[in-house]
Every structure is written in structure tokens, then in C-alpha cells.
Amino acid sequence: MSLSLSARSSHGPDDRELLYSELAAHDRLGEVLREQPERTFISDWNGHHPFVRPFLGEFADVPIVDLGWLGSYSHMDEDLDLAAAIADLHVRRYGEPSVTARRCVPGAGATSFLTTLLMYQFLNGVTELAYLPPVYYNAGWWIRKLGFAVRRVASDVDFAEDVCLTLPSDRCLLWLTDPVWFAGVPVRHETVNAIADWQQRTGSTVIVDGTFQYMGWDGANPEATERLDPDLTFRLVCPTKTLALHGFRFAYAIVPEQHASAFAELHGRLHGAAGLTDRRFAHRAVAVLGTDDGALPLMRFARTRYLRLRATGAVPDAIEPFSGYFAFGHPVVAADRIAGMDIACFGGTGHPGFVRINLLNSAAVECLLDHGA
């Protein structure tokens, strides 16, 4: 991997078509799924696991009328106890002392925050951004709709060999997705360190889409991106992804303290109040993640399924994952039996035949194991 600073300004050639090609790949996949519904969608974003009730505990049986005043709006960002609990989770459980309650803006769902993160910069006069692939497709959609000029500063996704990182020489807005979620690998420490050094030199703002952070197969550890300047970094975290409880909507942004009030106001104006059930679930999710095991039972479950796919020869070649419940590998099942998200969906190159595999999707896993049929 090579790292360098570019001599050219961030106002150089526009790479938006590179980014938009990821959206086009998603659209092509959608056409396949509509026209050939008999295929098994092994990259599916939905999944099931046996830990739903343990994660929910008594919350699973609470009648809706016991949750609170059903005729009142539930503003998650005004819940000071929730913000304090989130900060305590990061300090005590994750070992990230820079996270304070004043920096935490909770809300309903990671997608809503992708919108707010981009809109906040746009309304503050930012018209261009640099990025490292991949960019989650909903963020890419908003980047296109808001008309940002785009510059790609990495030659490939971060797990590829010989990735060249070319950071702008002047101050800019940088979008970083960590981990490379579709393959279950964190962004390399040397990449994060280079960005941290560059951020200090240039005073640049970094947005970290950390939707899939804190999902390590060996436990939840401090994230490398926590080392970025807290006064210049916006970071997204999503406990519903961590617990794979997508039926609830809860995420939060960790933002510079001086921006927290304005950011929370914009988020509320864009998306309104959270549902009461989601707000109550948020407290439960933070409490579960703060236990000794946290999401480890789910991560072990995903790891066991991955190892089974490799041991049976169903997926003989893969990027070795370390976190989450997605893997990126080359299944041997007949290509016309499956539909999957290939490297084109994520802005990368190479890896022919590789697709994202949802390890929590039982139908997908069984389809891959049935490769000899």
C-alpha cells in the first residue's frame, strides 16, 4: 500500500461518475431480482438469528401502552439519559474517553443520519467532498442529489493489495467508511493513521460512516477512527445493525461538541421525532451492548456459519473477515441460481466471481451449501 499527498488541489478532476457507477450496479442488481425472482439473493440485507429474545429481554413483552404517552412526540435527541448512557458505553465498554454525552446525537436509523451528515455540510457551504470507496449506496444517492463535486482519493477498497491513497494537499471534506462492511474487515490502521496525520496538517473535516463498527469477532474494541480529531470528525454508529435487529430504528452521530446543537436541530427538522418504541428500545440496546458479552453471541454465530461455508468447500476463496455478519467470497454454486452484490457495487476492482454473503440469511447459506445439487 502506498500513501501520498497530492500536489493538486481538491478542486481537481471530478470523480463523481466513479461513485455513481456503484449506484448503477445496485440498479442492475435490482433488475435481476425483479426479473428472476427464483434466484436466491445471497447478499440480502435482511437476516435472522436466535438471539432476538435474549437481546430484547423483558422489552419483547412490554405492551405498547406501557411504553409511555402515546399521544406525545418522542424526541430521542432530547433524551439526556440516553446520551449519557451512549457516552458511558463508549468510555467504559469501548475504551474511548473522548466521547462525551454532549457529542452524542441519537435518532432513528442510520439512513436518516447519512442524510443529515451530508445536508449539514451542504447547508454550511460545502460543495465538494473526497472519499475512499466504498460509499454506502444511500449516501451516494444523496451526494448525487445534492450535486457535490466528488474526488476519489483511494485507488481501490482498503483490503485490496497495493492501494494508493492520494490525499488532497489542502483542507477538504473527506468521507470514510469503516469497516469495509461488505467484507467484514476494518480499514487498515496505516490508512487511518495517514488520515489522522493529514487531518492535523490541513484542518480537514472527516465524516466516518461507522454504521457497522463495534462488531469484531473477538469482541468490541476501541475503533481506530476514534483517534481522529474530535473537533473535526463526525462519526455514525448504529446499534440496531450491531444487534441485527433491523425492525427497530436507532443510530447516533458522534459530532464535534461545537456542532452538536445545530446538528441535532437539523436532524430533527429533516426527520421529526423518533417513535416511542424506538426510543425505549435505544435504552435497551445500549444496556445490552454494555454487558460483558454485548453482541458477541451474534458475532460467534456469524463466524461459525462462515467457517462452515469454508470447511465444506462452498466458498473456497474469500477475503478473511474479522467482524460483522457479511463475508465477501467466491461461491461454487451455479451462478444462475443466485443473485449477489459483486465488487462493482462497492467501487472496487478485481475479485471476479466474488459476492457479498449475508451470514445471517439462512436461505442464502443453505443455497451455498447445496452447491453440489
Side-chain angles (χ1 to χ4, degrees), residues 143-159:
I143 289 169
R144 179 169 63 185
K145 287 297 182 182
L146 292 172
F148 282 96
V150 173
R151 177 173 173 193
R152 176 163 156 159
V153 297
S155 58
D156 209 336
V157 292
D158 201 65
F159 60 69

Side-chain angles (χ1 to χ4, degrees), residues 32-54:
V32 170
L33 293 174
R34 286 191 299 272
E35 295 171 2
Q36 302 178 50
E38 71 279 4
R39 292 188 182 219
T40 300
F41 183 31
I42 65 171
S43 302
D44 196 8
W45 26 81
N46 296 308
H48 306 280
H49 59 81
F51 307 103
V52 172
R53 184 159 288 276

Side-chain angles (χ1 to χ4, degrees), residues 177-211:
T177 304
D178 178 48
V180 182
W181 81 95
F182 70 89
V185 295
V187 171
R188 294 179 175 108
H189 279 271
E190 55 265 42
T191 301
V192 177
N193 290 339
I195 291 171
D197 292 342
W198 165 82
Q199 184 183 45
Q200 288 300 312
R201 287 194 299 271
T202 62
S204 292
T205 297
V206 179
I207 295 176
V208 179
D209 178 1
T211 300

Side-chain angles (χ1 to χ4, degrees), residues 159 179-186 319-323 326-328 346 356:
F159 60 69
V180 182
W181 81 95
F182 70 89
V185 295
I319 303 298
E320 195 67 25
F322 299 96
S323 68
F326 292 115
F328 191 62
F346 308 106
R356 185 179 85 171

Side-chain angles (χ1 to χ4, degrees), residues 115-331:
T115 307
T116 306
L117 286 163
L118 288 162
M119 187 67 74
Y120 186 77
Q121 299 296 329
F122 180 80
L123 293 176
N124 279 283
V126 178
T127 58
E128 58 186 313
L129 61 81
Y131 79 98
L132 284 72
V135 174
Y136 193 70
Y137 66 96
N138 278 331
W141 192 91
W142 275 107
I143 289 169
R144 179 169 63 185
K145 287 297 182 182
L146 292 172
F148 282 96
V150 173
R151 177 173 173 193
R152 176 163 156 159
V153 297
S155 58
D156 209 336
V157 292
D158 201 65
F159 60 69
E161 296 181 4
D162 300 322
V163 177
C164 179
L165 181 63
T166 307
L167 294 165
S169 57
D170 52 358
R171 186 171 62 182
C172 74
L173 173 65
L174 178 69
W175 187 280
L176 169 66
T177 304
D178 178 48
V180 182
W181 81 95
F182 70 89
V185 295
V187 171
R188 294 179 175 108
H189 279 271
E190 55 265 42
T191 301
V192 177
N193 290 339
I195 291 171
D197 292 342
W198 165 82
Q199 184 183 45
Q200 288 300 312
R201 287 194 299 271
T202 62
S204 292
T205 297
V206 179
I207 295 176
V208 179
D209 178 1
T211 300
F212 288 89
Q213 290 188 334
Y214 307 103
M215 298 170 69
W217 284 359
D218 60 350
N221 298 308
E223 293 289 341
T225 53
E226 193 268 342
R227 300 198 300 270
L228 298 174
D229 189 332
D231 291 327
L232 294 169
T233 303
F234 295 73
R235 185 154 59 103
L236 172 60
V237 182
C238 186
T240 55
K241 288 287 196 299
T242 307
L243 298 172
L245 295 175
H246 310 312
F248 295 97
R249 307 300 295 158
F250 168 47
Y252 54 92
I254 304 171
V255 306
E257 190 172 319
Q258 66 271 27
H259 292 281
S261 178
F263 184 89
E265 180 182 1
L266 176 63
H267 191 73
R269 291 190 180 278
L270 286 172
H271 307 291
L276 182 61
T277 303
D278 290 325
R279 180 174 171 182
R280 288 289 297 269
F281 167 77
H283 283 273
R284 173 65 187 178
V286 172
V288 169
L289 292 173
T291 63
D292 289 342
D293 280 346
L296 262 179
L298 177 62
M299 298 304 111
R300 289 167 178 155
F301 180 77
R303 181 177 183 270
T304 297
R305 280 194 164 174
Y306 170 74
L307 293 176
R308 184 182 176 200
L309 289 173
R310 294 301 304 275
T312 59
V315 181
D317 194 11
I319 303 298
E320 195 67 25
F322 299 96
S323 68
Y325 38 79
F326 292 115
F328 191 62
H330 190 177

